[in-house]
Amino acid sequence: MTYIKQTVISNTSPLISFLEIIPDGNKIMKALFEKVLIPEGVIEELTEKTGLTHEEYLKNHDIFDLIEVHLIPVNSSVPEIGKLDKGESQAISLAIRENLILIIDEKKGRKVGEINAGCTIERTAEQLVKACNNGIITSTSAAGHLHLLRANKRLGDNVLNMFLAQLP
């Protein structure tokens, strides 16, 4: 069976994981996703400490053609959305508007997105399992990437073990 690429929404943390921690994470993203939509707040968070323009950042990570940046106001009707940072709140608002899967790792953001806004939520770790299950990366690579995310404090031991158990 052929894997059908999806268009998704991403918060900042998954992009940091794929682009700055996981070796060749940009290639995994390109194999998994048709497009990744992000709000302006996410690209601002990604570039704020780099000194790079938004375009330079995307080109340096070889994802310029994969990412679409969207201007979107925060959907203030979602309970507790105001307690999140700009990138998270805009990503949830974009996921509501576009009715697409939101990839977000932070617990508070996942709760607001899923419970308060009704979004379909996935984590970075799930994307690695999905990549493995669809022959994009090997089980050994997926496990290594999950351990690397744990070493970089991107996921805890319980989450690591939960996703390691899902690998073939």
Side-chain angles (χ1 to χ4, degrees):
M1 190 164 126
T2 305
Y3 177 74
I4 299 171
K5 293 181 181 184
Q6 296 178 293
T7 296
V8 297
I9 312 291
S10 182
N11 185 41
T12 309
S13 182
L15 294 173
I16 290 170
S17 293
F18 274 114
L19 301 175
E20 299 178 18
I21 297 172
I22 298 169
D24 293 326
N26 62 335
K27 292 177 183 169
I28 297 169
M29 288 180 66
K30 287 179 178 185
L32 283 172
F33 309 123
E34 185 68 33
K35 283 284 181 192
V36 177
L37 301 130
I38 62 171
E40 187 177 42
V42 166
I43 192 68
E44 289 171 358
E45 290 175 2
L46 288 170
T47 60
E48 69 186 350
K49 295 178 185 169
T50 67
L52 298 172
T53 66
H54 301 168
E55 184 176 305
E56 289 169 336
Y57 182 89
L58 297 174
K59 284 183 176 178
N60 283 356
H61 289 287
D62 193 26
I63 57 164
F64 187 76
D65 293 339
L66 182 66
I67 302 289
E68 282 184 12
V69 180
H70 289 252
L71 297 175
I72 186 159
V74 172
N75 185 331
S76 58
S77 68
V78 175
E80 297 185 35
I81 202 164
K83 296 180 181 178
L84 304 176
D85 67 32
K86 182 179 179 181
E88 288 174 325
S89 59
Q90 286 182 352
I92 291 167
S93 299
L94 186 57
I96 293 167
R97 184 182 80 189
E98 299 295 326
N99 195 28
L100 293 170
I101 292 169
L102 171 61
I103 304 173
I104 187 168
D105 293 327
E106 295 79 11
K107 187 175 186 175
K108 192 176 196 178
R110 288 193 327 270
K111 177 186 175 268
V112 171
E114 186 171 26
I115 296 170
N116 297 0
C119 298
T120 300
I121 303 294
E122 293 185 5
R123 300 177 186 196
T124 303
E126 282 176 83
Q127 306 316 303
L128 293 171
V129 172
K130 189 182 296 182
C132 177
N133 289 337
N134 287 284
I136 296 166
I137 58 175
T138 66
S139 181
T140 302
S141 285
H145 296 331
L146 288 167
H147 281 287
L148 193 55
L149 292 177
R150 174 64 188 111
N152 281 273
K153 297 179 173 42
R154 293 284 167 184
L155 49 86
D157 289 332
N158 291 340
V159 174
L160 170 67
N161 292 329
M162 178 176 71
F163 287 106
L164 285 172
Q166 294 178 28
L167 293 175

